[in-house]
Amino acid sequence: MFIKYIKIIIKKILKKFNISIFTNIPKKRLLKFIELLKPHNLGYDLIRIGDGNEAGYLVPNILDKIKYCFSPGVGQSSQFESDLEKRGIKSYLADFSVDKVENLKISSFLKKNINSYNSKNTISINDWIEQNSSEYEENFLLEMDVDGSEFEILSSITEKNLKRFGILVIEFHYFELIAHEAFFKIYFPLIEKIRGSFEVAHLHPNNACPLIEASGVEFPSGLEITFLNKKFVKEKKKIKFLPHKLDKKCIISKDDIFLPSYWYN
C-alpha cells in the first residue's frame, strides 16, 4: 500500500512540472495498439463464471471443450474455480501468499508463485503446465490476475504451451504507462504474441482507478481481457457497444468506468 501511494505522489509531481523520464508514444501508435485489443463477436454467447464482482469473468460458452483450468494468483476468492468444478472442470491453482484454498473438491493447489523461472518459492509457467498435463492434452483455460507479473509470465510461456489453451482470461495492470516508450516496447509485442493464436472476445475495465489519458487516448489502469483460441472462432463480427449486459463493477463502492467507443468500434 505504501508503494502505491509513493507511485501516486511521483506521478502527480511529474505531471505538475510536465516531466517525463521516457519518450512519449504518439497517439497514432497507441490507437494501433488498441486495434489489437478490439473485441469481436466470435460466434458464441458470453457467460459469466465466478462471483458477482472482482472474481467474476465473461468467457465464450465453450466450457464443454475445456480440459483444465490453470489459475496463477489465488487472491481472496476461488469462486471462479468453484463454478468450473460444477461443470466438471478441474483447476490447478498456485500462489505462494496463500496457505490453502477452501471449498474446492477436485482441484489442486500449489503454494508457489508462477513465474519465468524456478526457485524455492516459484515455478516457471512452462514447467507448471507440463507437470500437470500430458504432452498431447490441450484446450485448457488460463485465468490470471497476478498484479503485474502477467507480463513476465506471458513473455516466457512457449508458443507451444500458449497454443494449448482454448481460453485466456487475464487482467492486465498498469496500462496507464503505455504511452511511455519503455513500457510500450513490453506491451505491444506481448499482445502481438497472444494475438498470433487468439482473438479478443471481451474487454472489461477494472474500476479501481479512473480512466487515464495518455497522448490523447484514454486507458484503464487495469483491463480484463478474454481471448479465444482461433481454432474455435466461428465468425468475427464487430460488437456494437460495451459494457456487456453481464458485466459488473469490480469494486462495488466505486463509480463504474466505461471504455470510449474507439476501443471497440
Side-chain angles (χ1 to χ4, degrees):
M1 187 64 71
F2 176 75
I3 294 176
K4 179 180 178 180
Y5 286 125
I6 291 297
K7 288 182 178 179
I8 292 173
I9 292 171
I10 291 174
K11 288 179 183 178
K12 287 182 177 179
I13 293 173
L14 293 177
K15 184 176 181 180
K16 180 178 180 180
F17 293 97
N18 196 27
I19 298 173
S20 176
I21 58 174
F22 302 105
T23 302
N24 285 336
I25 300 296
K27 181 177 181 178
K28 184 176 180 179
R29 290 179 67 192
L30 292 179
L31 291 175
K32 183 178 179 181
F33 174 74
I34 288 177
E35 284 292 325
L36 292 174
L37 297 176
K38 285 186 176 180
H40 288 83
N41 180 340
L42 303 176
Y44 301 93
D45 291 333
L46 297 179
I47 57 175
R48 190 172 184 86
I49 302 296
D51 67 20
N53 297 93
E54 192 165 11
Y57 302 99
L58 271 59
V59 300
N61 191 8
I62 64 161
L63 294 184
D64 59 321
K65 299 177 175 64
I66 296 300
K67 182 77 174 178
Y68 306 122
C69 174
F70 288 84
S71 294
V74 175
Q76 300 299 315
S77 172
S78 58
Q79 186 61 50
F80 186 90
E81 294 78 17
S82 178
D83 282 2
L84 292 179
E85 283 196 344
K86 295 174 184 177
R87 297 170 179 266
I89 300 173
K90 177 179 180 177
S91 293
Y92 292 95
L93 302 94
D95 192 328
F96 183 71
S97 68
V98 176
D99 292 325
K100 61 180 179 178
V101 178
E102 305 285 354
N103 304 319
L104 295 179
K105 299 177 180 179
I106 63 174
S107 297
S108 176
F109 171 70
L110 176 67
K111 187 176 171 57
K112 284 193 174 187
N113 287 329
I114 305 304
N115 218 308
S116 62
Y117 61 93
N118 295 318
S119 69
K120 180 180 178 181
N121 299 328
T122 67
I123 182 172
S124 77
I125 180 67
N126 294 301
D127 284 354
W128 187 46
I129 294 168
E130 292 162 10
Q131 289 176 14
N132 290 293
S133 62
S134 68
E135 182 179 358
Y136 302 104
E137 287 181 309
E138 58 182 12
N139 297 343
F140 308 139
L141 190 161
L142 177 66
E143 184 274 312
M144 181 163 62
D145 181 1
V146 288
D147 297 329
S149 295
E150 63 272 10
F151 299 103
E152 180 176 359
I153 294 171
L154 292 170
S155 294
S156 66
I157 191 172
T158 65
E159 287 193 35
K160 179 181 177 180
N161 281 330
L162 182 62
K163 291 177 180 179
R164 297 172 72 188
F165 287 90
I167 299 173
L168 310 176
V169 182
I170 303 165
E171 178 162 351
F172 287 89
H173 300 78
Y174 310 121
F175 259 30
E176 73 271 24
L177 301 176
I178 189 68
H180 300 305
E181 184 75 37
F183 294 95
F184 189 85
K185 288 180 178 179
I186 296 173
Y187 297 157
F188 194 90
L190 177 56
I191 298 300
E192 278 194 317
K193 174 183 178 179
I194 296 172
R195 283 298 316 278
S197 302
F198 293 83
E199 297 287 354
V200 179
H202 185 57
L203 299 178
H204 180 247
N206 190 317
N207 69 322
C209 297
L211 293 175
I212 299 169
E213 184 178 322
S215 296
V217 181
E218 288 189 305
F219 283 86
S221 180
L223 182 63
E224 300 165 358
I225 307 178
T226 301
F227 299 91
L228 178 66
N229 194 304
K230 289 182 178 180
K231 68 181 180 180
F232 291 118
V233 173
K234 291 182 178 180
E235 60 186 22
K236 187 176 178 181
K237 295 181 179 179
K238 285 186 176 182
I239 63 172
K240 295 181 179 180
F241 58 89
L242 287 176
H244 189 277
K245 62 183 179 180
L246 297 179
D247 278 326
K248 297 183 180 181
K249 294 192 297 183
C250 294
I251 309 297
I252 300 176
S253 61
K254 291 194 172 187
D255 292 337
D256 209 351
I257 59 174
F258 304 98
L259 294 173
S261 60
Y262 50 77
W263 276 87
Y264 52 89
N265 283 335

